[in-house]
Amino acid sequence: MAILQIGAGGVGWVIAHKAAQNNDVLGDITIASRTVSKCEKIIASIQKKNNLKDPSKKLEARAVNADDVEALVALIKEVQPDLVINAGPPWVNMAIMEACYQAKVSYLDTSVAVDLCSEGQQVPQAYDWQWGYREKFKEAGITGILGAGFDPGVVSVFAAYAVKHLFDEINTIDVMTLAQLRESLNDELFYRHGNQLVATPLARRLGPTVHQMINEMNQMLTQEAFDPSRYEGRFSLAMRESTFELLAAKLSARVLAQAPELRLEIWSKDSMGFEGLTKGQLDFIMLPHDRSQPPSSQNNLVWETLIDDEMVCLMNPTHPLAEKSLIIDDYLSYGHVSIMDQDLSVPFFEMQLAQQHRKRRVAINVADFGSAALMCHHSDLLFTCSKRWASTAMQAKGLITKPLPFNYGEVSYSLVWHQPSMNDPAHRWLYEQILECCREVKGE
């Protein structure tokens, strides 16, 4: 057996990898696209990941214009496949179907051009032009399978699995088309710009959650163990700058060594906070805080201590207090630099001072630890911060570190995540890598 895949975009990439993993059944594979280099990149990825189950079978690239029926027929006759898989955009469906009819080879596609339908047409009617080939295909002795993508193809597989394995009884199953989603969400979701579909801000915000749902369904169906060496997905973390100094480099090196194709995004916690976890935009947040601070108003957020720490006071080496033992009156008599964080409540020690009718005079609020340390270098302001950060950060080099003259309370670096996300095997793997990285840091 042999297959010819036309299309080398995102969908084509996935189809080619899955076909290669089953080429003991599907046989020789040829991937064709207008841009042959895209096909070659897919082939290189398949070979790099050792996804070619039977190395004796062919895996080749060809160039073809999917709008050119004559060129398609010539390619089909050259490759002589048993099946043509159309992984291109839906507006080339008719050209490829015509080529398959002329060459007498079976056809499969993944979608229909709903946005090219006449006004008022529903999705089944969008297939009218392709259904017109039914008698022709029957006469030619070939098969045509339409819409084997997410709707209705894969949806039907998911639904059948759910009926058989997950539920005692199902009354109705509602499949949302793009048009229905646009109407329900009151958003275009995607719009066409040239030959590309561009996601709206809402679609980009929903993307991580949808990807997670699809990933969980795929894991449910395949029951495959997570393999980081083959993972091509993305993880998003948010950190305070102090956490970045302490853990980011070590964690990145550890993760990318095991998952070289992984994409790791590390955001500033100020630009992506706790709401990012509940919306699926973030996988984890890592931050220093005192133990009194975890916000109780956030639903389904889990906090886990990674590293215990203590707080210290930083000051300029020429500061009037630099040569003295720090006492509470001196600590309160000078101005302070503070870090802004709207997500966390007032620190425990601030409340203790307030109960004693005493209060720090915060002269400057800044966004990050590095900026606060810089202010100390050029003023008599004091900065209360993590001891681990003070001992490792370049910005803190040259500053004097002094123990605080009061009981600050328990402090730590913590990991925060949205509880349902732990259903994802990839998420659990990253969680284990973070824990192991922190064990190494604590052992140093």
Side-chain angles (χ1 to χ4, degrees), residues 349-387:
F349 88 97
E350 299 276 22
M351 292 187 287
Q352 275 192 322
L353 290 172
Q355 289 172 359
Q356 300 171 25
H357 305 287
R358 313 185 79 170
K359 187 177 181 180
R360 291 193 308 163
R361 180 172 60 87
V362 176
I364 299 178
N365 283 301
V366 295
D368 56 71
F369 281 55
S371 298
L374 182 64
M375 298 303 299
C376 287
H377 277 290
H378 298 282
S379 71
D380 284 342
L381 295 173
L382 303 178
F383 177 39
T384 302
C385 68
S386 155
K387 184 177 181 179

Side-chain angles (χ1 to χ4, degrees), residues 97-373:
M97 284 192 79
E98 175 62 27
C100 286
Y101 167 66
Q102 292 185 23
K104 293 183 171 50
V105 174
S106 293
Y107 167 89
L108 179 149
D109 67 34
T110 63
S111 62
V112 64
V114 177
D115 56 339
L116 300 182
C117 294
S118 302
E119 185 175 354
Q121 273 193 318
Q122 298 300 310
V123 173
Q125 294 172 288
Y127 285 101
D128 283 353
W129 288 99
Q130 291 182 259
W131 281 123
Y133 274 86
R134 185 171 185 174
E135 292 303 319
K136 291 183 177 181
F137 272 43
K138 185 176 180 181
E139 174 191 329
I142 57 177
T143 300
I145 301 175
L146 310 182
F150 194 79
D151 173 18
V154 176
V155 169
S156 298
V157 175
F158 289 168
Y161 184 93
V163 169
K164 185 175 181 180
H165 300 288
L166 302 179
F167 297 96
D168 296 326
E169 181 180 350
I170 294 179
N171 295 319
T172 61
I173 295 176
D174 186 17
V175 179
M176 299 289 286
T177 66
L178 180 58
Q180 289 172 308
L181 285 172
R182 283 169 168 165
E183 182 178 351
S184 298
L185 298 173
N186 193 29
D187 189 89
E188 189 69 12
L189 296 177
F190 297 93
Y191 61 91
R192 196 169 302 287
H193 180 71
N195 63 352
Q196 293 183 325
L197 281 177
V198 180
T200 66
L202 177 61
R204 290 196 299 271
R205 192 164 70 248
L206 294 175
T209 302
V210 174
H211 283 302
Q212 179 176 318
M213 292 168 60
I214 294 172
N215 181 65
E216 289 175 3
M217 183 63 77
N218 184 56
Q219 292 290 332
M220 180 185 70
L221 291 175
T222 63
Q223 299 298 311
E224 293 177 355
F226 176 70
D227 182 358
S229 67
R230 303 171 104 182
Y231 187 66
E232 296 182 352
R234 179 196 66 176
F235 288 120
S236 294
L237 310 177
M239 299 182 183
R240 268 287 186 200
E241 182 195 16
S242 56
T243 316
F244 190 93
E245 297 265 5
L246 191 64
L247 296 172
K250 293 182 175 65
L251 178 62
S252 299
R254 179 182 184 86
V255 166
L256 293 176
Q258 298 179 60
E261 300 300 320
L262 176 149
R263 178 183 170 192
L264 188 61
E265 295 179 347
I266 303 180
W267 297 81
S268 162
K269 184 189 163 295
D270 290 329
S271 63
M272 192 82 78
F274 294 116
E275 189 176 344
L277 293 172
T278 57
K279 288 185 175 180
Q281 297 168 317
L282 287 175
D283 297 297
F284 293 101
I285 290 177
M286 303 165 70
L287 77 166
H289 65 100
D290 72 48
R291 297 287 185 85
S292 68
Q293 283 184 304
S296 58
S297 60
Q298 298 286 340
N299 294 328
N300 288 325
L301 291 187
V302 181
W303 289 65
E304 180 172 341
T305 298
L306 297 174
I307 301 172
D308 290 319
D309 201 0
E310 61 182 286
M311 302 297 277
V312 294
C313 180
L314 295 186
M315 63 184 70
N316 191 299
T318 63
H319 196 286
L321 300 178
E323 302 298 327
K324 300 172 58 177
S325 295
L326 192 60
I327 61 174
I328 186 67
D329 289 336
D330 289 338
Y331 177 82
L332 296 176
S333 66
Y334 282 87
H336 291 255
V337 188
S338 181
I339 305 297
M340 295 180 289
D341 195 323
Q342 297 179 351
D343 285 325
L344 296 178
S345 55
V346 178
F348 176 70
F349 88 97
E350 299 276 22
M351 292 187 287
Q352 275 192 322
L353 290 172
Q355 289 172 359
Q356 300 171 25
H357 305 287
R358 313 185 79 170
K359 187 177 181 180
R360 291 193 308 163
R361 180 172 60 87
V362 176
I364 299 178
N365 283 301
V366 295
D368 56 71
F369 281 55
S371 298

